[in-house]
Amino acid sequence: MTTAADTLLITNIGSLVTNDPTVGEGPLGLVRDAAVVIEGERIAWAGPATAAPAADTAYDADGRAVIPGFVDSHSHLVFAGDRTEEFNARMSGRPYSAGGIRTTVAATRAATDAELEANLTRYLREALRQGTTTFETKSGYGLTVEDEARALRIASAHTDEVTYLGAHIVPPDYADDPAAYVALVTGDMLDACAPHARWIDVFCEKGAFDGDQARTILTAGKAKGLHPRIHANQLSYGPGVQLAVELDAASADHCTHLTDEDVDALANSSTVATLLPGAEFSTRAEWPNARRLLDAGATVALSTDCNPGSSFTSSVPFCIALAVRDMGMTPDEALWSATAGGAAALRRTDIGRITRGAYADLALLDAPSHVHLAYRPGVPLVSAVWRRGLREV
């Protein structure tokens, strides 16, 4: 790792994605033969290389593409254990159901704080090497007051985007009294977890929490200053998307099974539809229809859903390739959704774009264009990463 100079000029950029239409062409704000100036943690300037101001030091991009760092707005990285056997069985014909989460809950409860943090940082390093500079992560594998609070405490040491997901499933010890578990999630557990989190989430799905339970949980979280996000409409049609819009949730995540009313609600709200193609890939489930959402005018984000059960990938480039191949997105739309879209799902404007005042989070691709992320799936194209002005890869 190197320390940031007072100012750094990255020049000879063949293709620069800024996500700022006032700087370049189209929604991506694309600038060819471009340069970027970093000052401290922030972008000081971006535009044509011929107009770049002087800087203390320079880096030659050698004609390669530069993009904003990926914003992974949905992950589950505080966990222990392994579910290889479950995946192997599922790939042999057994469908995914929410019950598999219980396996990880047992392993996570048994792990030490040090083990959980070591696992978390391992996957963060893995994601950073692939261009992810901002990530959200959730609790949800402890499901006791103590285990949920420690998960959030561990996560908050590594990101500001921490989500309380005590309402992941009803744990086995409350199987006969789910109402008592909802009371715990909205009572003592919420009190212990709220100081460590920015967001509250709920898995609104058959086999997890119904619409009334989800509303109760999210409303309690809002009263404690946490903003809602929802696992919505992943495995079946349900009330999750409509509830997300009703409560002004920052995002409705998965959005695989949508009615026309659901699509219209998302398109006419500030709730982002976060699509998680790694989950469909890993469970052989039906793909979300991104084209339908985009054509309706909804804001779409792309994220990994990195978790040990249903989407064990930390690679946003892989998810981009899936979205282009199987979900009806163009390469431009997929990249925007994985950067600016993720930022919108976290209600932030200081990440996901390369424009003056934003954090200097960017990735250099070993390719002349961002299109290669979908054009060359599975190839490790990210060759350098700057996060808040520091080169970390």
Side-chain angles (χ1 to χ4, degrees):
M1 185 184 298
T2 60
T3 57
D6 288 339
T7 55
L8 169 67
L9 170 66
I10 304 175
T11 191
N12 195 18
I13 300 170
S15 175
L16 172 67
V17 173
T18 68
N19 285 338
D20 184 349
T22 68
V23 172
E25 302 171 13
L28 292 186
L30 191 66
V31 183
R32 303 186 191 280
D33 301 318
V36 172
V37 175
I38 296 171
E39 183 173 3
E41 294 187 333
R42 304 278 180 168
I43 300 294
W45 183 90
T50 54
D56 298 322
T57 58
Y59 180 94
D60 188 345
D62 196 26
R64 293 173 288 178
V66 169
I67 63 172
F70 298 124
V71 179
D72 192 349
S73 62
H74 184 128
S75 73
H76 303 252
L77 298 180
V78 186
F79 69 89
D82 181 82
R83 285 159 68 181
T84 302
E85 291 184 7
E86 176 190 322
F87 176 79
N88 191 34
R90 188 166 64 239
M91 292 300 101
S92 303
R94 187 172 71 206
Y96 169 70
S97 67
I101 295 167
R102 293 179 177 87
T103 303
T104 302
V105 169
T108 302
R109 288 179 177 179
T112 66
D113 288 10
E115 288 169 338
L116 291 176
E117 185 158 31
N119 208 42
L120 170 66
T121 56
R122 171 188 174 190
Y123 295 117
L124 295 184
R125 289 192 299 268
E126 185 178 276
L128 182 66
R129 290 195 299 270
Q130 298 172 91
T132 297
T133 52
T134 301
F135 74 97
E136 177 270 0
T137 199
K138 309 174 193 293
S139 65
Y141 291 127
L143 310 185
T144 66
V145 172
E146 179 183 355
D147 286 308
E148 286 295 292
R150 72 170 179 146
L152 296 171
R153 186 173 62 251
I154 290 166
S156 65
H158 299 276
T159 180
D160 294 332
E161 303 299 343
V162 179
T163 301
Y164 166 46
L165 182 59
H168 202 177
I169 60 165
V170 176
D173 30 327
Y174 282 87
D176 296 330
D177 194 358
Y181 186 67
V182 171
L184 180 68
V185 167
T186 58
D188 290 348
M189 189 183 289
L190 175 60
D191 290 341
C193 290
H196 306 293
R198 181 183 178 201
W199 307 97
I200 185 169
D201 198 344
V202 59
F203 188 11
C204 184
E205 186 60 68
K206 294 175 183 176
F209 298 89
D210 65 24
D212 290 341
Q213 292 169 326
R215 180 181 287 103
T216 296
I217 291 162
L218 295 176
T219 301
K222 288 185 76 171
K224 282 285 188 179
L226 304 182
H227 203 87
R229 23 189 2 99
I230 307 180
H231 284 60
N233 301 53
Q234 176 188 4
L235 306 176
S236 60
Y237 293 97
V241 164
Q242 295 292 335
L243 182 60
V245 172
E246 173 192 329
L247 296 180
D248 186 36
S251 63
D253 297 30
H254 288 289
C255 293
T256 306
H257 299 278
L258 301 180
T259 64
D260 289 344
E261 291 75 17
D262 292 334
V263 174
D264 289 344
L266 288 166
N268 290 288
S269 75
S270 59
T271 299
V272 174
T274 299
L275 307 184
L276 309 165
E280 279 70 38
F281 177 87
S282 298
T283 60
R284 289 180 175 161
E286 177 183 343
W287 298 102
N289 189 339
R291 183 80 270 136
R292 181 185 181 198
L293 287 161
L294 290 164
D295 288 348
T299 301
V300 172
L302 273 181
S303 293
T304 64
D305 191 20
C306 187
N307 75 83
S310 60
S311 183
F312 204 7
T313 180
S314 59
S315 175
V316 174
F318 174 65
C319 293
I320 287 173
L322 292 179
V324 171
R325 167 63 177 80
D326 290 305
M327 290 163 47
M329 301 185 89
T330 68
D332 285 11
E333 290 167 340
L335 178 62
W336 190 95
S337 294
T339 52
L346 297 175
R347 298 208 164 161
R348 291 180 60 178
T349 59
D350 57 350
I351 56 175
R353 47 197 221 143
I354 299 175
T355 188
R356 182 179 176 86
Y359 279 116
D361 295 346
L362 46 92
L364 175 69
L365 304 182
D366 192 14
S369 166
H370 66 279
V371 177
H372 281 232
L373 292 167
Y375 181 39
R376 304 195 68 208
V379 178
L381 294 178
V382 175
S383 59
V385 179
W386 286 263
R387 181 167 58 180
R388 297 202 172 187
L390 299 178
R391 183 171 176 187
E392 302 217 32
V393 174

